[in-house]
Amino acid sequence: MFEPFKSLWSLVARLKESHNPRYNAHCWIAGNPDIGENVWIGAFTLIDGLGGLKIGRGTDISSGAHIVSHSTVWRCVSERRFSIIERAPIDIGEFCFIGENATVLRGAKIGHHSIVGAGTVVTEFMEVPPYSLILGVPGRIVRSIKDDIEKKVTGNPKP
């Protein structure tokens, strides 16, 4: 008697998941990335999980960012004689912020509570410690933001 309703509820669940409000409808997610709870992905972003991708909970990825876990550079310049599409997993820690139009390339590891500034390029296999501010092209670690977080939260600067 309730069998037709099971199919209907299954369809509703799939539709609900495909219209997840935490991802902008204009982002593109390829592959099957591991995306944590309360992650925001903005419009016009490319999230490439084809080479492996983990995005920690509470992370925000701003509009226009590109997270790219594969490369076809050597396949292209070798006139396809090197036929391999190179892949390497990306690991973005918890509570990170990826700025507008930033790019994170294959193999990168970004520690938790880090900021990747707008337009920054996190290069292949770069390892970023937790609480880092990364800026520039190529990206470089500018400083730790650990004390800045406490100042923002409490409103009381530490000596």
Side-chain angles (χ1 to χ4, degrees):
M1 177 173 174
F2 292 105
E3 200 60 38
F5 292 110
K6 285 183 182 179
S7 296
L8 178 62
W9 283 116
S10 176
L11 175 63
V12 168
R14 284 196 316 271
L15 284 172
K16 189 175 179 184
E17 187 172 312
S18 71
H19 291 86
N20 192 326
R22 65 187 187 157
Y23 311 144
N24 188 286
H26 300 289
C27 73
W28 183 30
I29 300 176
N32 192 22
D34 178 2
I35 301 174
E37 294 178 3
N38 298 317
V39 169
W40 169 249
I41 299 173
F44 312 113
T45 56
L46 169 61
I47 307 298
D48 164 21
L50 298 173
L53 173 59
K54 181 178 180 189
I55 302 172
R57 68 186 173 103
T59 290
D60 284 356
I61 301 175
S62 298
S63 297
H66 293 119
I67 315 295
V68 184
S69 64
H70 77 279
S71 173
T72 60
V73 170
W74 293 109
R75 185 182 75 151
C76 179
V77 299
S78 70
E79 299 176 14
R80 305 294 196 262
R81 290 175 292 147
F82 182 81
S83 61
I84 299 169
I85 296 173
E86 297 178 300
R87 293 177 168 91
I90 295 172
D91 187 353
I92 300 173
E94 296 182 342
F95 302 101
C96 290
F97 180 85
I98 310 296
E100 291 176 316
N101 299 313
T103 300
V104 180
L105 297 175
R106 70 186 180 103
K109 292 183 174 135
I110 300 172
H112 60 86
H113 297 88
S114 290
I115 298 171
V116 175
T120 295
V121 176
V122 179
T123 57
E124 291 181 334
F125 303 101
M126 182 176 184
E127 293 196 25
V128 177
Y131 298 100
S132 292
L133 172 62
I134 308 103
L135 300 174
V137 179
R140 64 181 183 86
I141 300 165
V142 175
R143 63 183 170 85
S144 172
I145 60 166
K146 192 168 190 173
D147 291 337
D148 297 331
I149 294 169
E150 192 61 30
K151 289 175 191 175
K152 286 285 187 187
V153 171
T154 65
N156 298 324
K158 286 186 176 180

